[in-house]
Amino acid sequence: MFSFYVIVAYDPMDPNGNITIKWDVMSWTPDGYVATVTINNFQMFRHIMNPGWTLGWTWAKKEVIWSMVGAQTTEQGDCSKFKGNIPHCCKKIPTVVDLLPGVPYNQQFSNCCKGGVVAAWGQDPSQSVSAFQVSVGQGGTSNKTVKLPKNFTLLAPGPGYTCGPAKVVPSTVFLTTDKRRKTQALMTWNVTCTYSQFLARKNPSCCVSLSSFYNETITPCPSCACGCQNKKNCVKSDSKILSMVGVHTPKKDNEALTQCTHHMCPIRVHWHVKTNYKDYWRVKIAVTNFNYRMNYTLWTLAIQHPNLNNVTQVFSFNYKPLLPYESINDTGMFYGMKYFNDLLMEAGPKGNIQSEVLLQKDKKFTFKQGWAFPHKVYFNGDECMLPHPDTYPFLPNSSPATIATFKALIFSLLLLLAITQ
């Protein structure tokens, strides 16, 4: 089975999702300005996981960074021409990362120091922002002389994001702590970054398997759903390698150490149609981690199914309806309960999470033609590969073979009637 991904950075499940980077110039200095840079994640179910965001840009002139609060550049660059005060960074193309938790108080800034981890807007709006302060030198000292940085790049934490040019927008307005006075930035510009799964990776990073109470057949993930090019480097579940010290330590590039399976996916989502009642039906959802090097914090599971407009109860997971189009309520997001199951452990005995969902039947409800199975499934913002519809568990009286036999019987009867006439 082949899967095709659209290159354009547009997601029909989250059509307005983006990451907006806002620069607010708060004051002018003798040779530049001091700006507050805010990274807002407006994506409903795609968060920035460990090791966090990395932000880069190209200076328009010969700007330098005198100092930073709440973040740092990964390299200082060549500052040999400066005497006395040495800038924090002299590189033409600086690369900025968030500070880690626990840094000294005088290095902290509001909404900083989380190791670059940023929650999805739909999951936790209060944690969907990251910010830092930067003091820029050898730049413009007024609205007319400032040259906006260009060629913005964002890794969150890997590739997949494309950033547009910086655009001047109306200055941000701030309320004082007593909320009796408004102040505003001296100048504001925005940069919008959008995500494309095609740019992030060649293959999916998760797959879906299906089963039901009315059919003994379990439809597995498609073979090589996530690509089999790394099959030589996979590890069997009983391998002695797993007992070696450091084998579970994540790498900087987040390279997976995947358990050997026929699908070769780090994540498998299983959808089981469990029970049928008179007015309700129950589904069990299980997520299994096959990556020995990754714990998934703040995980999210977005699912599209027509009956999600009548969710009665969700057990063990948090649930939030997503309404990308106000007239259609067929998409929802599941995520973990804090301090209970918001962490999906690495591959192994504890590397799974599960929940059950009780749904009220609507007028369109049926178990026929695979209607009870999801249309789309996303894990951590990436679309998972579903099995081919022809392989879905069918009702015993509506399986492809039974239908074909019934059609053949009707044809034979019609032919016999034609002959007798």
Side-chain angles (χ1 to χ4, degrees):
M1 178 180 177
F2 296 94
S3 181
F4 298 92
Y5 293 89
V6 182
I7 299 179
V8 293
Y10 171 79
D11 189 343
M13 292 265 282
D14 188 14
N16 300 314
N18 68 75
I19 292 179
T20 299
I21 304 163
K22 181 174 67 172
W23 289 57
D24 289 312
V25 176
M26 305 305 294
S27 62
W28 302 113
T29 61
D31 71 335
Y33 56 89
V34 176
T36 296
V37 181
T38 308
I39 300 173
N40 288 289
N41 183 9
F42 293 122
Q43 299 175 111
M44 294 303 293
F45 50 81
R46 184 177 296 109
H47 67 282
I48 302 176
M49 56 190 285
N50 189 55
W53 56 262
T54 301
L55 180 64
W57 63 83
T58 302
W59 290 119
K61 297 193 289 186
K62 296 182 179 180
E63 292 91 340
V64 296
I65 297 176
W66 281 116
S67 63
M68 299 188 76
V69 183
Q72 64 183 6
T73 59
T74 56
E75 296 182 52
Q76 183 182 34
D78 183 8
C79 297
S80 59
K81 70 176 182 178
F82 290 89
K83 298 179 179 180
N85 292 333
I86 305 298
H88 175 81
C89 179
C90 300
K91 291 183 71 68
K92 178 75 171 178
I93 307 176
T95 301
V96 178
V97 294
D98 193 14
L99 296 181
L100 297 175
V103 297
Y105 185 76
N106 61 351
Q107 297 180 26
Q108 296 182 25
F109 194 73
S110 60
N111 293 311
C112 85
C113 313
K114 296 178 286 188
V117 175
V118 182
W121 175 263
Q123 186 176 9
D124 188 353
S126 67
Q127 297 298 316
S128 66
V129 59
S130 184
F132 60 89
Q133 188 181 77
V134 57
S135 178
V136 180
Q138 296 189 174
T141 56
S142 71
N143 297 47
K144 294 183 179 179
T145 57
V146 166
K147 295 293 184 182
L148 307 189
K150 54 187 179 180
N151 300 332
F152 279 85
T153 59
L154 177 66
L155 300 177
Y161 285 90
T162 302
C163 299
K167 295 182 180 180
V168 176
V169 296
S171 296
T172 303
V173 176
F174 305 95
L175 275 176
T176 55
T177 52
D178 60 6
K179 298 184 179 180
R180 299 178 65 188
R181 171 178 162 79
K182 293 180 180 180
T183 60
Q184 69 179 54
L186 304 177
M187 185 178 183
T188 300
W189 60 83
N190 281 352
V191 177
T192 302
C193 304
T194 52
Y195 181 81
S196 167
Q197 186 171 340
F198 182 87
L199 295 176
R201 55 184 58 85
K202 294 180 180 180
N203 301 297
S205 58
C206 53
C207 64
V208 180
S209 57
L210 309 169
S211 62
S212 65
F213 71 90
Y214 54 76
N215 194 316
E216 294 181 356
T217 302
I218 297 176
T219 302
C221 287
S223 295
C224 295
C226 297
C228 281
Q229 63 270 21
N230 295 324
K231 200 153 190 175
K232 293 181 180 179
N233 300 323
C234 68
V235 178
K236 294 183 179 180
S237 58
D238 57 351
S239 174
K240 294 181 179 179
I241 296 176
L242 299 175
S243 60
M244 295 174 60
V245 177
V247 72
H248 298 280
T249 304
K251 292 191 174 182
K252 289 184 178 180
D253 59 359
N254 270 350
E255 181 185 356
L257 181 63
T258 309
Q259 184 181 125
C260 295
T261 59
H262 74 280
H263 52 74
M264 287 302 295
C265 290
I267 293 292
R268 182 190 67 197
V269 180
H270 186 75
W271 177 283
H272 174 65
V273 180
K274 184 176 180 180
T275 315
N276 181 32
Y277 306 105
K278 179 181 178 182
D279 298 318
Y280 300 88
W281 60 299
R282 186 185 292 258
V283 172
K284 182 176 181 179
I285 302 172
V287 183
T288 305
N289 185 3
F290 292 98
N291 187 351
Y292 289 104
R293 285 200 185 119
M294 179 67 72
N295 293 334
Y296 293 90
T297 57
L298 300 177
W299 59 267
T300 61
L301 184 67
I303 295 178
Q304 185 182 53
H305 188 283
N307 210 172
L308 287 180
N309 61 345
N310 278 326
V311 173
T312 301
Q313 189 173 0
V314 177
F315 305 86
S316 303
F317 288 174
N318 285 316
Y319 176 75
K320 182 176 182 178
L322 300 177
L323 303 172
Y325 311 98
E326 293 184 2
S327 60
I328 304 175
N329 180 15
D330 65 351
T331 307
M333 178 178 65
F334 301 87
Y335 56 100
M337 295 180 176
K338 198 168 186 179
Y339 306 123
F340 177 59
N341 59 2
D342 59 342
L343 172 64
L344 173 58
M345 296 296 290
E346 64 194 25
K350 297 182 179 180
N352 65 88
I353 48 177
Q354 55 188 13
S355 175
E356 292 190 4
V357 184
L358 185 66
L359 305 104
Q360 186 175 7
K361 297 177 180 178
D362 59 15
K363 294 180 180 179
K364 297 180 181 179
F365 177 84
T366 178
F367 283 129
K368 297 179 179 179
Q369 298 177 343
W371 187 91
F373 300 108
H375 294 179
K376 285 188 177 182
V377 176
Y378 286 62
F379 181 80
N380 276 2
D382 282 336
E383 187 173 357
C384 305
M385 179 177 282
L386 287 158
H388 194 280
D390 288 347
T391 65
Y392 284 14
F394 282 90
L395 282 168
N397 61 351
S398 64
S399 65
T402 304
I403 294 172
T405 304
F406 180 74
K407 288 181 178 179
L409 179 62
I410 295 296
F411 179 77
S412 300
L413 290 172
L414 289 174
L415 185 62
L416 183 61
L417 288 171
I419 294 173
T420 55
Q421 291 178 356

